[in-house]
mmCIF file of all heavy atoms in Angstrom:
data_model
loop_
_atom_site.group_PDB
_atom_site.id
_atom_site.type_symbol
_atom_site.label_atom_id
_atom_site.label_comp_id
_atom_site.label_asym_id
_atom_site.label_seq_id
_atom_site.Cartn_x
_atom_site.Cartn_y
_atom_site.Cartn_z
ATOM 1 N N SER A 1 0.822 -1.208 0.000
ATOM 2 C CA SER A 1 0.000 0.000 0.000
ATOM 3 C C SER A 1 0.860 1.265 0.000
ATOM 4 O O SER A 1 0.573 2.231 -0.721
ATOM 5 C CB SER A 1 -0.929 -0.005 1.218
ATOM 6 O OG SER A 1 -1.672 1.182 1.308
ATOM 7 N N VAL A 2 1.933 1.260 0.799
ATOM 8 C CA VAL A 2 2.844 2.399 0.833
ATOM 9 C C VAL A 2 3.480 2.608 -0.532
ATOM 10 O O VAL A 2 3.636 3.744 -0.995
ATOM 11 C CB VAL A 2 3.926 2.200 1.916
ATOM 12 C CG1 VAL A 2 5.057 3.219 1.749
ATOM 13 C CG2 VAL A 2 3.310 2.334 3.305
ATOM 14 N N GLY A 3 3.846 1.518 -1.199
ATOM 15 C CA GLY A 3 4.410 1.634 -2.542
ATOM 16 C C GLY A 3 3.474 2.342 -3.502
ATOM 17 O O GLY A 3 3.892 3.209 -4.287
ATOM 18 N N LYS A 4 2.180 2.009 -3.428
ATOM 19 C CA LYS A 4 1.192 2.655 -4.305
ATOM 20 C C LYS A 4 1.022 4.129 -3.944
ATOM 21 O O LYS A 4 0.859 4.985 -4.839
ATOM 22 C CB LYS A 4 -0.138 1.916 -4.197
ATOM 23 C CG LYS A 4 -0.094 0.516 -4.802
ATOM 24 C CD LYS A 4 -1.421 -0.212 -4.636
ATOM 25 C CE LYS A 4 -1.358 -1.602 -5.257
ATOM 26 N NZ LYS A 4 -2.634 -2.342 -5.064
ATOM 27 N N GLN A 5 1.079 4.428 -2.646
ATOM 28 C CA GLN A 5 0.973 5.822 -2.223
ATOM 29 C C GLN A 5 2.143 6.654 -2.755
ATOM 30 O O GLN A 5 1.960 7.786 -3.228
ATOM 31 C CB GLN A 5 0.943 5.903 -0.696
ATOM 32 C CG GLN A 5 -0.291 5.311 -0.035
ATOM 33 C CD GLN A 5 -0.147 5.251 1.477
ATOM 34 O OE1 GLN A 5 0.530 6.079 2.093
ATOM 35 N NE2 GLN A 5 -0.765 4.244 2.094
ATOM 36 N N VAL A 6 3.345 6.093 -2.676
ATOM 37 C CA VAL A 6 4.530 6.801 -3.149
ATOM 38 C C VAL A 6 4.478 6.983 -4.665
ATOM 39 O O VAL A 6 4.854 8.042 -5.187
ATOM 40 C CB VAL A 6 5.809 6.045 -2.717
ATOM 41 C CG1 VAL A 6 7.051 6.616 -3.405
ATOM 42 C CG2 VAL A 6 5.978 6.117 -1.198
ATOM 43 N N GLU A 7 3.995 5.980 -5.368
ATOM 44 C CA GLU A 7 3.820 6.117 -6.818
ATOM 45 C C GLU A 7 2.888 7.287 -7.141
ATOM 46 O O GLU A 7 3.193 8.126 -8.003
ATOM 47 C CB GLU A 7 3.229 4.828 -7.399
ATOM 48 C CG GLU A 7 4.241 3.727 -7.644
ATOM 49 C CD GLU A 7 3.631 2.556 -8.401
ATOM 50 O OE1 GLU A 7 2.411 2.307 -8.253
ATOM 51 O OE2 GLU A 7 4.375 1.897 -9.126
ATOM 52 N N ALA A 8 1.762 7.341 -6.430
ATOM 53 C CA ALA A 8 0.756 8.373 -6.712
ATOM 54 C C ALA A 8 1.251 9.771 -6.377
ATOM 55 O O ALA A 8 0.938 10.745 -7.080
ATOM 56 C CB ALA A 8 -0.521 8.069 -5.921
ATOM 57 N N SER A 9 2.063 9.885 -5.314
ATOM 58 C CA SER A 9 2.478 11.214 -4.862
ATOM 59 C C SER A 9 3.751 11.730 -5.538
ATOM 60 O O SER A 9 3.993 12.933 -5.539
ATOM 61 C CB SER A 9 2.681 11.209 -3.342
ATOM 62 O OG SER A 9 3.722 10.324 -2.971
ATOM 63 N N THR A 10 4.550 10.821 -6.106
ATOM 64 C CA THR A 10 5.844 11.250 -6.669
ATOM 65 C C THR A 10 5.948 11.093 -8.174
ATOM 66 O O THR A 10 6.806 11.714 -8.805
ATOM 67 C CB THR A 10 7.000 10.448 -6.039
ATOM 68 O OG1 THR A 10 6.892 9.065 -6.421
ATOM 69 C CG2 THR A 10 6.983 10.579 -4.525
ATOM 70 N N GLY A 11 5.121 10.252 -8.761
ATOM 71 C CA GLY A 11 5.239 9.988 -10.196
ATOM 72 C C GLY A 11 6.252 8.908 -10.516
ATOM 73 O O GLY A 11 6.464 8.572 -11.684
ATOM 74 N N CYS A 12 6.896 8.347 -9.488
ATOM 75 C CA CYS A 12 7.838 7.242 -9.687
ATOM 76 C C CYS A 12 7.087 5.922 -9.866
ATOM 77 O O CYS A 12 5.899 5.814 -9.554
ATOM 78 C CB CYS A 12 8.773 7.119 -8.489
ATOM 79 S SG CYS A 12 9.977 8.449 -8.326
ATOM 80 N N THR A 13 7.799 4.935 -10.363
ATOM 81 C CA THR A 13 7.286 3.573 -10.411
ATOM 82 C C THR A 13 7.946 2.775 -9.288
ATOM 83 O O THR A 13 9.164 2.809 -9.142
ATOM 84 C CB THR A 13 7.604 2.905 -11.763
ATOM 85 O OG1 THR A 13 6.978 3.652 -12.803
ATOM 86 C CG2 THR A 13 7.111 1.471 -11.792
ATOM 87 N N VAL A 14 7.145 2.071 -8.482
ATOM 88 C CA VAL A 14 7.658 1.330 -7.335
ATOM 89 C C VAL A 14 7.428 -0.159 -7.550
ATOM 90 O O VAL A 14 6.301 -0.607 -7.775
ATOM 91 C CB VAL A 14 6.982 1.772 -6.023
ATOM 92 C CG1 VAL A 14 7.520 0.962 -4.844
ATOM 93 C CG2 VAL A 14 7.180 3.266 -5.795
ATOM 94 N N SER A 15 8.513 -0.931 -7.513
ATOM 95 C CA SER A 15 8.448 -2.384 -7.654
ATOM 96 C C SER A 15 8.898 -3.025 -6.345
ATOM 97 O O SER A 15 9.976 -2.703 -5.828
ATOM 98 C CB SER A 15 9.357 -2.840 -8.808
ATOM 99 O OG SER A 15 9.418 -4.252 -8.876
ATOM 100 N N ILE A 16 8.082 -3.942 -5.803
ATOM 101 C CA ILE A 16 8.373 -4.547 -4.502
ATOM 102 C C ILE A 16 8.397 -6.066 -4.638
ATOM 103 O O ILE A 16 7.477 -6.668 -5.208
ATOM 104 C CB ILE A 16 7.314 -4.144 -3.456
ATOM 105 C CG1 ILE A 16 7.290 -2.622 -3.273
ATOM 106 C CG2 ILE A 16 7.591 -4.834 -2.116
ATOM 107 C CD1 ILE A 16 6.146 -2.135 -2.413
ATOM 108 N N TYR A 17 9.463 -6.677 -4.103
ATOM 109 C CA TYR A 17 9.571 -8.130 -4.059
ATOM 110 C C TYR A 17 9.629 -8.564 -2.599
ATOM 111 O O TYR A 17 10.418 -8.028 -1.816
ATOM 112 C CB TYR A 17 10.829 -8.620 -4.782
ATOM 113 C CG TYR A 17 11.181 -10.055 -4.451
ATOM 114 C CD1 TYR A 17 10.537 -11.106 -5.099
ATOM 115 C CD2 TYR A 17 12.128 -10.358 -3.475
ATOM 116 C CE1 TYR A 17 10.830 -12.429 -4.785
ATOM 117 C CE2 TYR A 17 12.424 -11.685 -3.148
ATOM 118 C CZ TYR A 17 11.782 -12.710 -3.809
ATOM 119 O OH TYR A 17 12.076 -14.013 -3.488
ATOM 120 N N MET A 18 8.794 -9.543 -2.241
ATOM 121 C CA MET A 18 8.842 -10.130 -0.900
ATOM 122 C C MET A 18 8.664 -11.639 -1.028
ATOM 123 O O MET A 18 7.730 -12.103 -1.692
ATOM 124 C CB MET A 18 7.737 -9.545 -0.008
ATOM 125 C CG MET A 18 7.924 -8.083 0.350
ATOM 126 S SD MET A 18 6.610 -7.436 1.417
ATOM 127 C CE MET A 18 5.281 -7.214 0.218
ATOM 128 N N ASN A 19 9.563 -12.410 -0.403
ATOM 129 C CA ASN A 19 9.416 -13.861 -0.435
ATOM 130 C C ASN A 19 8.627 -14.341 0.786
ATOM 131 O O ASN A 19 8.317 -13.568 1.684
ATOM 132 C CB ASN A 19 10.784 -14.550 -0.531
ATOM 133 C CG ASN A 19 11.639 -14.320 0.711
ATOM 134 O OD1 ASN A 19 11.249 -13.638 1.647
ATOM 135 N ND2 ASN A 19 12.827 -14.905 0.717
ATOM 136 N N GLU A 20 8.332 -15.626 0.817
ATOM 137 C CA GLU A 20 7.564 -16.190 1.934
ATOM 138 C C GLU A 20 8.455 -16.494 3.135
ATOM 139 O O GLU A 20 8.039 -16.378 4.274
ATOM 140 C CB GLU A 20 6.842 -17.468 1.491
ATOM 141 C CG GLU A 20 5.639 -17.202 0.601
ATOM 142 C CD GLU A 20 4.511 -16.485 1.333
ATOM 143 O OE1 GLU A 20 4.248 -16.806 2.500
ATOM 144 O OE2 GLU A 20 3.906 -15.594 0.726
ATOM 145 N N GLY A 21 9.710 -16.892 2.886
ATOM 146 C CA GLY A 21 10.630 -17.202 3.973
ATOM 147 C C GLY A 21 10.210 -18.426 4.767
ATOM 148 O O GLY A 21 9.275 -19.146 4.404
ATOM 149 N N TYR A 22 10.909 -18.678 5.872
ATOM 150 C CA TYR A 22 10.546 -19.774 6.777
ATOM 151 C C TYR A 22 9.410 -19.313 7.682
ATOM 152 O O TYR A 22 9.358 -18.149 8.086
ATOM 153 C CB TYR A 22 11.722 -20.170 7.674
ATOM 154 C CG TYR A 22 12.923 -20.768 6.979
ATOM 155 C CD1 TYR A 22 14.139 -20.884 7.635
ATOM 156 C CD2 TYR A 22 12.850 -21.221 5.664
ATOM 157 C CE1 TYR A 22 15.250 -21.436 7.020
ATOM 158 C CE2 TYR A 22 13.958 -21.764 5.035
ATOM 159 C CZ TYR A 22 15.158 -21.876 5.712
ATOM 160 O OH TYR A 22 16.252 -22.420 5.103
ATOM 161 N N PRO A 23 8.504 -20.215 8.057
ATOM 162 C CA PRO A 23 7.505 -19.857 9.078
ATOM 163 C C PRO A 23 8.184 -19.597 10.422
ATOM 164 O O PRO A 23 9.373 -19.884 10.601
ATOM 165 C CB PRO A 23 6.609 -21.103 9.146
ATOM 166 C CG PRO A 23 6.921 -21.900 7.918
ATOM 167 C CD PRO A 23 8.338 -21.588 7.563
ATOM 168 N N ALA A 24 7.428 -19.084 11.367
ATOM 169 C CA ALA A 24 7.961 -18.872 12.715
ATOM 170 C C ALA A 24 8.038 -20.191 13.480
ATOM 171 O O ALA A 24 7.205 -21.078 13.295
ATOM 172 C CB ALA A 24 7.069 -17.896 13.473
ATOM 173 N N VAL A 25 9.045 -20.319 14.327
ATOM 174 C CA VAL A 25 9.127 -21.447 15.252
ATOM 175 C C VAL A 25 8.214 -21.122 16.433
ATOM 176 O O VAL A 25 8.488 -20.197 17.201
ATOM 177 C CB VAL A 25 10.574 -21.685 15.733
ATOM 178 C CG1 VAL A 25 10.608 -22.765 16.808
ATOM 179 C CG2 VAL A 25 11.469 -22.072 14.561
ATOM 180 N N MET A 26 7.127 -21.852 16.542
ATOM 181 C CA MET A 26 6.131 -21.638 17.588
ATOM 182 C C MET A 26 5.994 -22.929 18.394
ATOM 183 O O MET A 26 5.543 -23.952 17.875
ATOM 184 C CB MET A 26 4.783 -21.262 16.969
ATOM 185 C CG MET A 26 4.807 -19.992 16.129
ATOM 186 S SD MET A 26 4.838 -18.487 17.117
ATOM 187 C CE MET A 26 3.154 -18.453 17.739
ATOM 188 N N ASN A 27 6.396 -22.897 19.647
ATOM 189 C CA ASN A 27 6.303 -24.077 20.502
ATOM 190 C C ASN A 27 4.867 -24.239 21.008
ATOM 191 O O ASN A 27 4.394 -23.392 21.777
ATOM 192 C CB ASN A 27 7.260 -23.958 21.686
ATOM 193 C CG ASN A 27 8.709 -24.142 21.285
ATOM 194 O OD1 ASN A 27 9.021 -24.848 20.327
ATOM 195 N ND2 ASN A 27 9.617 -23.504 22.008
ATOM 196 N N PRO A 28 4.173 -25.283 20.578
ATOM 197 C CA PRO A 28 2.756 -25.434 20.967
ATOM 198 C C PRO A 28 2.588 -25.556 22.476
ATOM 199 O O PRO A 28 3.304 -26.319 23.138
ATOM 200 C CB PRO A 28 2.325 -26.713 20.239
ATOM 201 C CG PRO A 28 3.594 -27.441 19.935
ATOM 202 C CD PRO A 28 4.651 -26.398 19.751
ATOM 203 N N GLY A 29 1.640 -24.805 23.020
ATOM 204 C CA GLY A 29 1.459 -24.736 24.458
ATOM 205 C C GLY A 29 1.215 -26.078 25.113
ATOM 206 O O GLY A 29 1.746 -26.368 26.193
#
């Protein structure tokens, strides 16, 4: 969403890459 806001306010093109990564280590209660 921030990328789209910056595009709209500056005239730049914003490209964002995010991977999934490893899940969190969560010790079940």
Side-chain angles (χ1 to χ4, degrees):
S1 176
V2 167
K4 291 178 180 178
Q5 293 172 30
V6 170
E7 279 188 330
S9 63
T10 66
C12 290
T13 299
V14 179
S15 174
I16 300 172
Y17 165 82
M18 292 181 283
N19 65 359
E20 286 293 320
Y22 295 166
V25 174
M26 300 283 287
N27 287 331

